[in-house]
């Protein structure tokens, strides 16, 4: 009985060794066991560091973009200023026998309140006849504090308004709505308004009329170069 038990134990041990050698070490399951062991002992690579987030820019409001300028509609100020200045050939000098030395280029000269003169002064003795520069209509006879006795005349095409100021008086028979030919006497040189009494002169302005044709509105242009072209070369 004891011998049988001994042989049984020996058989179990021998069977276990055989099973180990067949299945584990070099047996059919060896590849799987090797793969498991390799996986268990493999060192996983460290994860790549994440890129640092970009710096947050300071918050500023977007710069304001101004809209593109709208082209001027036909008949607007841009178109009016494209018109040629009044032709010297169509203009009669406001003073007969006018000389260059009598015409002062004071268009851009400063005035009180940040204003500019926007006119030309023609120095003449008091009572010198003032003549209409163009064929046109007397639109307004106006007595103002700065200009004194004034005349507003439109040319026949109603493109320009001719403004004569500081007149001593109007010519007899001149009235609003009257059509006059160039060269017609419309008033006389004086110093009414805010002019210096000791320096009588004609204050002459030329304005490009706005579409509504108001005598009190317009875009001033310098009369000096126009007047200079009307001078008689024979007059010294």
């Amino acid at each position: 009985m004891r011998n049988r038990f001994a042989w049984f134990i020996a058989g179990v041990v021998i069977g276990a060794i055989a099973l180990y050698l067949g299945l584990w070490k070099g047996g059919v399951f060896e590849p799987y066991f090797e793969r498991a062991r390799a996986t268990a002992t493999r060192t996983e690579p460290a994860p790549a560091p994440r890129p640092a987030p970009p710096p947050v820019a300071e918050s500023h409001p977007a710069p304001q973009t101004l809209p593109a300028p709208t082209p001027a509609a036909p008949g607007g100020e841009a178109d009016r200023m494209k018109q040629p200045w009044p032709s010297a050939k169509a203009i009669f000098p406001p003073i007969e026998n006018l000389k260059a030395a009598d015409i002062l280029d004071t268009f851009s000269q400063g005035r009180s309140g940040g204003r500019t003169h926007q006119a030309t002064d023609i120095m003449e003795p008091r009572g010198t006849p003032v003549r209409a520069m163009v064929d046109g209509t007397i639109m307004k006879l106006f007595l103002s504090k700065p200009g004194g006795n004034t005349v507003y005349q439109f040319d026949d095409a109603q493109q320009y308004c001719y403004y004569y100021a500081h007149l001593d008086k109007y010519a007899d028979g001149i009235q609003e709505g009257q059509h006059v030919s160039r060269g017609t006497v419309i008033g006389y040189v004086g110093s009414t308004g805010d002019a210096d009494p000791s320096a009588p002169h004609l204050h002459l302005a030329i304005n490009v009329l706005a579409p509504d044709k108001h005598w009190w509105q317009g875009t001033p242009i310098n009369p000096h170069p126009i007047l200079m072209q009307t001078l008689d070369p024979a007059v010294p």
Side-chain angles (χ1 to χ4, degrees):
M1 186 70 178
R2 184 177 297 177
N3 290 336
R4 290 181 182 178
F5 181 76
W7 281 109
F8 175 76
I9 295 300
V12 170
V13 171
I14 293 171
I17 293 172
L19 182 62
Y20 169 76
L21 294 176
L23 298 180
W24 182 263
K25 190 67 175 178
V28 295
F29 294 108
E30 178 65 14
Y32 301 101
F33 294 139
E34 287 293 333
R35 187 179 304 170
R37 287 193 295 270
T39 302
T41 58
R42 186 185 308 159
T43 302
E44 293 291 336
R50 294 183 180 181
V56 179
E58 294 183 9
S59 178
H60 293 287
Q64 183 180 7
T65 302
L66 298 178
T70 304
E77 182 173 334
D79 283 351
R80 293 198 303 276
M81 295 312 296
K82 290 179 183 178
Q83 296 172 357
W85 282 12
S87 170
K89 295 181 179 179
I91 290 179
F92 192 91
I95 303 294
E96 197 170 12
N97 298 324
L98 187 61
K99 299 186 290 293
D102 299 328
I103 308 171
L104 305 182
D105 189 6
T106 56
F107 184 79
S108 300
Q109 194 175 75
R111 290 293 187 268
S112 62
R115 299 175 298 114
T116 54
H117 192 213
Q118 297 185 341
T120 292
D121 287 336
I122 302 175
M123 310 307 296
E124 293 291 334
R126 188 184 310 277
T128 302
V130 175
R131 301 175 182 273
M133 295 177 63
V134 293
D135 295 339
T137 303
I138 304 298
M139 299 302 296
K140 187 69 176 179
L141 302 177
F142 188 67
L143 177 62
S144 71
K145 184 176 181 179
N149 296 319
T150 64
V151 174
Y152 293 81
Q153 181 198 10
F154 287 8
D155 66 320
D156 281 340
Q158 293 196 347
Q159 290 181 316
Y160 303 96
C161 177
Y162 296 80
Y163 172 69
Y164 315 82
H166 300 316
L167 301 177
D168 189 61
K169 62 178 181 178
Y170 300 119
D172 293 340
I174 292 296
Q175 56 186 349
E176 293 178 5
Q178 178 182 354
H179 187 275
V180 294
S181 300
R182 61 184 186 141
T184 301
V185 176
I186 58 176
Y188 300 90
V189 171
S191 57
T192 56
D194 61 5
D196 185 347
S198 64
H201 64 278
L202 171 64
H203 172 105
L204 176 68
I206 303 176
N207 293 326
V208 181
L209 287 168
D212 46 19
K213 311 298 182 185
H214 291 154
W215 56 268
W216 65 89
Q217 290 178 330
T219 303
I221 58 177
N222 191 351
H224 185 268
I226 301 171
L227 290 172
M228 295 298 288
Q229 295 181 54
T230 66
L231 298 180
D232 186 351
V235 177

